Amino acid sequence: MKKSVGEITKSSRGFQVVALGGGTGLSALLRGLKLYVVRRTDQCPTAERPIADLAAIVTVTDDGGSSGRLRRENRVLPPGDIRNCMVALSKDEALLGRLFQYRFQAGRGLRGHNFGNLFLAALTHVTGDFAEAVRVSSKVLAIRGRIFPSTVSNVHLVATLANGKRIKGETNISRSTAPIRRLELAPRRVRPLSAAVEAIQQADLILMGPGSLYTSVIPNLLIPEIAESIARSKAPRVYIANLMTQPGETTRYALSEHIRAIQDHVQKRVIDSVVANVRAVSPEVAERYRAQGAEPVGIDAESVAKLKVELVTDDLLEEHGVIRHNSERLAGLLVEKFLLHPKRR
């Protein structure tokens, strides 16, 4: 049974929240949730800061850009998505965050690399362990939470397209214009990080997304132990829907098709609720995205209901030339709906 607001103020434990994903979507979510994490100076969780532990489980299949180069040339796991999450959770995003996000614009071998990526790669070689490098780097940034790679194995994504063609690699998959029929990991069986599985097992709330459906959200769920732990959990399991479809990956996908794609890959029930935006995109911004093959994700409420998934909607949109989730409004909704006033399952 979940705690009420009154019980939270007396609790020495607080809530444990796990967020799974990758890309810019996960970091945007974490940026909002960290505002609800208990500060070290606080004695106990309160209704204003009810989260005692926030854990991010990040996909490690990226093979493009700076991350891809480091992966190929230095034999380390791709650090980019994890770096973004560390910056999002950092105590001082404006200072150390800017340093970790700094991208070299010149220099043979340096151009295009992020300082944070190089820092993680160097620490991996110093410590001999990528997960330990993430832990040490997180201390440098004084982050409000924990970050885990979903696995420390060298894994790649392989997609089978609707036309029967198979393509390998996250970058190639994201560029494909043909619909994706099936996604798998190569190798298929990989061991998860044990700390990531433990975080899921202890969670009071499990969040998936937002982020690219096939290259950020589903990859974590292709690891059997992670999917099994989510399926067995009694905590609310919430999928945060993308604001826009992604050209190629989810062209013309409605909300229910995103949910169905996740369930089809996992083969077990891992979603209880879906959170979606209802604010309309401004015409000029929508037109620009439409020219690139993207459009707002349609909310087909009846089809979602047939999947026995609760639909939660709100104004979650933020426009500043590009479309993003409003981190603070999204986090506030999740805390209010699923932690402070949860619907009993």
Side-chain angles (χ1 to χ4, degrees):
M1 181 178 292
K2 303 296 182 187
K3 298 176 179 61
S4 67
V5 176
E7 289 174 315
I8 287 174
T9 59
K10 300 175 184 178
S11 172
S12 60
R13 174 178 174 272
F15 292 109
Q16 294 175 275
V17 177
V18 170
L20 300 95
T24 58
L26 180 59
S27 56
L29 171 64
L30 297 176
R31 187 170 290 110
L33 287 175
K34 78 175 177 183
L35 303 175
Y36 295 89
V37 176
V38 179
R39 291 176 296 203
R40 292 181 180 179
T41 55
D42 293 339
Q43 292 184 346
C44 64
T46 65
E48 289 72 32
R49 292 182 181 272
I51 301 176
D53 181 60
L54 174 58
I57 299 174
V58 188
T59 182
V60 286
T61 56
D62 189 7
D63 58 5
S66 171
S67 288
R69 286 170 58 193
L70 289 171
R71 183 176 187 175
R72 291 187 298 273
E73 298 169 7
N74 292 271
R75 296 183 179 180
V76 296
L77 290 180
D81 285 354
I82 286 178
R83 181 202 76 238
N84 286 332
C85 290
M86 287 195 300
V87 171
L89 287 174
S90 64
K91 183 178 180 181
D92 190 350
E93 260 191 90
L95 181 60
L96 284 175
R98 284 175 59 193
L99 175 62
F100 266 60
Q101 296 288 51
Y102 176 79
R103 187 181 297 274
F104 293 92
Q105 301 299 323
R108 186 175 181 181
L110 277 178
R111 186 175 182 180
H113 277 304
N114 289 90
F115 173 79
N117 286 359
L118 296 176
F119 187 86
L120 277 168
L123 262 181
T124 298
H125 287 291
V126 169
T127 63
D129 182 78
F130 183 76
E132 177 64 11
V134 173
R135 189 187 70 80
V136 174
S137 300
S138 297
K139 277 186 140 183
V140 171
L141 287 175
I143 72 167
R144 289 184 183 172
R146 299 183 292 159
I147 300 173
F148 305 114
S150 55
T151 178
V152 291
S153 299
N154 183 22
V155 294
H156 295 270
L157 288 178
V158 179
T160 301
L161 306 180
N163 58 16
K165 183 179 179 181
R166 284 169 61 85
I167 53 177
K168 182 178 180 179
E170 180 177 312
T171 302
N172 292 329
I173 292 171
S174 63
R175 290 173 179 170
S176 174
T177 57
I180 297 171
R181 180 192 302 163
R182 192 74 189 169
L183 194 70
E184 60 191 60
L185 295 178
R188 290 192 179 187
R189 295 286 300 185
V190 296
R191 292 181 62 83
L193 200 68
S194 59
V197 174
E198 290 172 8
I200 294 171
Q201 293 171 342
Q202 297 167 5
D204 296 298
L205 175 62
I206 298 172
L207 305 171
M208 291 162 276
S212 299
L213 179 64
Y214 288 103
T215 54
S216 291
V217 178
I218 291 178
N220 286 322
L221 303 176
L222 295 178
I223 301 174
E225 290 86 346
I226 287 181
E228 183 66 33
S229 296
I230 297 173
R232 289 181 177 179
S233 177
K234 299 300 180 184
R237 300 165 299 185
V238 182
Y239 171 57
I240 303 166
N242 292 335
L243 300 169
M244 307 292 287
T245 60
Q246 195 161 351
E249 279 194 43
T250 57
T251 299
R252 292 186 292 275
Y253 269 37
L255 182 56
S256 66
E257 291 170 295
H258 285 75
I259 298 170
R260 193 174 291 111
I262 293 173
Q263 295 291 177
D264 287 348
H265 277 83
V266 179
Q267 295 294 307
K268 293 179 181 178
R269 184 174 177 82
V270 293
I271 300 174
D272 302 305
S273 305
V274 58
V275 171
N277 168 65
V278 289
R279 178 182 165 187
V281 178
S282 63
E284 59 273 18
V285 174
E287 181 60 33
R288 190 169 72 250
Y289 272 79
R290 192 175 298 113
Q292 300 170 1
E295 58 186 6
V297 174
I299 300 178
D300 51 343
E302 290 187 7
S303 296
V304 171
K306 289 178 181 178
L307 295 173
K308 297 182 179 179
V309 172
E310 176 192 25
L311 175 60
V312 179
T313 60
D314 205 340
D315 172 5
L316 303 172
L317 180 67
E318 189 170 89
E319 288 187 20
H320 295 292
V322 294
I323 294 172
R324 294 284 185 268
H325 279 90
N326 183 298
S327 298
E328 292 188 22
R329 282 204 297 267
L330 175 59
L333 171 64
L334 294 170
V335 169
E336 178 70 20
K337 172 72 177 178
F338 299 104
L339 291 181
L340 299 185
H341 297 98
K343 181 179 179 181
R344 298 296 188 264
R345 291 173 58 189

